[in-house]
Amino acid sequence: AQRRLYSDQPEETYEQFTNRYVKFFENVDDQFELQRGLNNCFAYDLVPDVAICEAALRAARRIDDFSTAVRVFEALKIKVDKRSQYEDYLQALKPVKDELGLLTSEELGFK
């Protein structure tokens, strides 16, 4: 059987995906680009690596967009399969969260 190839590009690995989005968020300089990048990143059928989340959180604080930083945590909570996975992400991101003075929606008194 013949196989159709709709793209001449090789499939991106998880490591390449992570590197691409870390680099993207390191270069974000406005809210529109930050939110566009987050929408694109979270649209994939995977949970973004901690490195991507850290780069996105740093970008949010760099452009002084606290609410989008909080939404990164909300998006993670929705994207993971189990509550324990979300807790693992919170633990891994705790140093950057504390460094940047960020809070989750739960810490702000919401759901």
Side-chain angles (χ1 to χ4, degrees):
Q2 191 173 20
R3 186 174 171 193
R4 290 186 179 176
L5 301 176
Y6 291 98
S7 174
D8 60 351
Q9 299 294 322
E11 191 171 318
E12 187 176 45
T13 66
Y14 186 74
E15 182 178 276
Q16 291 168 327
F17 175 86
T18 298
N19 291 336
R20 177 167 58 101
Y21 274 100
V22 166
K23 185 173 183 171
F24 174 85
F25 288 121
E26 287 174 346
N27 295 304
V28 162
D29 60 2
D30 66 41
Q31 185 183 42
F32 176 81
E33 285 298 310
L34 174 61
Q35 291 179 351
R36 182 178 69 88
L38 287 168
N39 284 337
N40 290 340
C41 181
F42 276 86
Y44 286 86
D45 189 25
L46 54 82
V47 181
D49 191 82
V50 170
I52 294 173
C53 297
E54 180 176 341
L57 292 170
R58 291 188 183 282
R61 289 307 276 164
R62 185 173 58 250
I63 63 170
D64 199 27
D65 189 358
F66 183 82
S67 61
T68 298
V70 173
R71 288 186 183 105
V72 170
F73 293 108
E74 292 176 359
L76 279 171
K77 186 168 38 170
I78 292 167
K79 195 75 173 170
V80 296
D81 289 331
K82 301 178 216 166
R83 177 72 184 186
S84 63
Q85 289 175 302
Y86 177 62
E87 296 296 331
D88 291 343
Y89 269 85
L90 287 179
Q91 189 64 33
L93 292 167
K94 184 174 178 12
V96 72
K97 183 177 158 284
D98 292 345
E99 175 191 336
L100 301 176
L102 300 173
L103 301 170
T104 64
S105 57
E106 295 92 354
E107 293 167 333
L108 289 168
F110 299 102
K111 289 185 182 183

